[in-house]
Amino acid sequence: AQSVTQLDSQVPVFEEAPVELRCNYSSSVSVYLFWYVQYPNQGLQLLLKYLSGSTLVKGINGFEAEFNKSQTSFHLRKPSVHISDTAEYFCAVGKTSYDKVIFGPGTSLSVIP
Amino acid sequence: DAGITQSPRHKVTETGTPVTLRCHQTENHRYMYWYRQDPGHGLRLIHYSYGVKDTDKGEVSDGYSVSRSKTEDFLLTLESATSSQTSVYFCAISESGQPQETQYFGPGTRLLVL
């Protein structure tokens, strides 16, 4: 069965420090990969997605993610975080043979002033 | 922002009572989804709809039913609420349901079953 793993449930980081949120998935076929962000008391919104082509994907608010097929990973990075980046981040996977998207358990990013 | 509203936004109910949550969209998207969000589980799909009166089950559909009589409205019903259904419920939409499409989410409904 397809699954998405986000090993870090909580990530505290100081303001202006870099951050990496990890995502691994299990799939033997081609996948589509997403990162969604959920700010406090809001719904989810798309941060970025990988469909094909360049493995480095740039998203909104200075975030980027790199697709690594051999390691089945899609880690999210930002070189310098801001207080406003405090949120829950969800990795999600879709594949052509399965019409539903699977979400990971989420990583709570807390930016410390 | 995609035009998706959910009502009510907050609800407290008692075990055994029926509850209906409503999702309304103004985007004319074909697919609509109901998810529940619980700590440690992320989002899990309850039911989804691929057109008027066309619905299917997700991974956690037990205890829930849905209906879609109009393109813009998707209702989630808990026939007899239980404490295990205390959760935050999100509605989402996508244009044609393809796995590479972005899903757009509503603001959520917080449900507490006492």
Side-chain angles (χ1 to χ4, degrees):
Chain A
Q2 185 172 269
S3 69
V4 181
T5 303
Q6 293 181 247
L7 288 175
D8 305 306
S9 60
Q10 295 184 346
V11 174
V13 61
F14 286 104
E15 192 174 14
E16 298 185 3
V19 68
E20 178 180 82
L21 305 183
R22 297 180 291 169
C23 173
N24 289 89
Y25 63 92
S26 64
S27 178
S28 58
V29 299
S30 297
V31 295
Y32 307 110
L33 297 159
F34 306 81
W35 277 99
Y36 285 85
V37 60
Q38 182 184 28
Y39 297 107
N41 299 312
Q42 295 185 25
L44 280 71
Q45 62 185 88
L46 183 72
L47 202 54
L48 50 79
K49 64 180 177 182
Y50 170 81
L51 301 183
S52 65
S54 174
T55 58
L56 184 63
V57 181
K58 294 190 182 296
I60 61 172
N61 300 337
F63 283 93
E64 63 180 30
E66 186 160 17
F67 169 56
N68 188 318
K69 187 176 182 179
S70 62
Q71 297 186 2
T72 59
S73 68
F74 190 54
H75 299 334
L76 181 70
R77 303 185 183 98
K78 187 170 182 179
S80 175
V81 295
H82 190 267
I83 294 291
S84 60
D85 294 322
T86 293
E88 190 88 13
Y89 292 80
F90 294 93
C91 182
V93 177
K95 60 181 182 180
T96 54
S97 59
Y98 188 68
D99 62 356
K100 303 171 193 62
V101 173
I102 303 298
F103 287 83
T107 296
S108 178
L109 174 65
S110 297
V111 180
I112 305 164
Chain B
D1 291 342
I4 310 168
T5 56
Q6 292 184 232
S7 58
R9 294 292 313 279
H10 303 271
K11 187 167 182 67
V12 180
T13 191
E14 293 186 350
T15 299
T17 60
V19 176
T20 295
L21 309 182
R22 179 179 182 246
C23 177
H24 179 79
Q25 60 143 331
T26 59
E27 306 298 318
N28 200 35
H29 282 4
R30 182 180 169 199
Y31 274 68
M32 299 185 75
Y33 310 82
W34 277 109
Y35 292 92
R36 60 179 289 174
Q37 182 182 23
D38 303 288
H41 291 279
L43 273 74
R44 293 180 291 176
L45 182 64
I46 305 171
H47 282 280
Y48 67 101
S49 169
Y50 47 95
V52 173
K53 297 186 179 180
D54 293 323
T55 65
D56 204 351
K57 296 178 180 180
E59 63 175 309
V60 290
S61 59
D62 288 348
Y64 302 95
S65 63
V66 291
S67 65
R68 191 171 179 196
S69 59
K70 297 186 291 185
T71 298
E72 57 267 34
D73 290 326
F74 191 32
L75 304 181
L76 176 71
T77 297
L78 290 64
E79 301 290 347
S80 177
T82 67
S83 58
S84 64
Q85 294 176 311
T86 291
S87 186
V88 181
Y89 291 85
F90 286 99
C91 173
I93 64 173
S94 71
E95 194 163 349
S96 60
Q98 296 298 311
Q100 66 268 37
E101 284 186 341
T102 298
Q103 291 189 17
Y104 300 93
F105 287 79
T109 294
R110 289 188 174 273
L111 176 67
L112 175 61
V113 183
L114 300 175

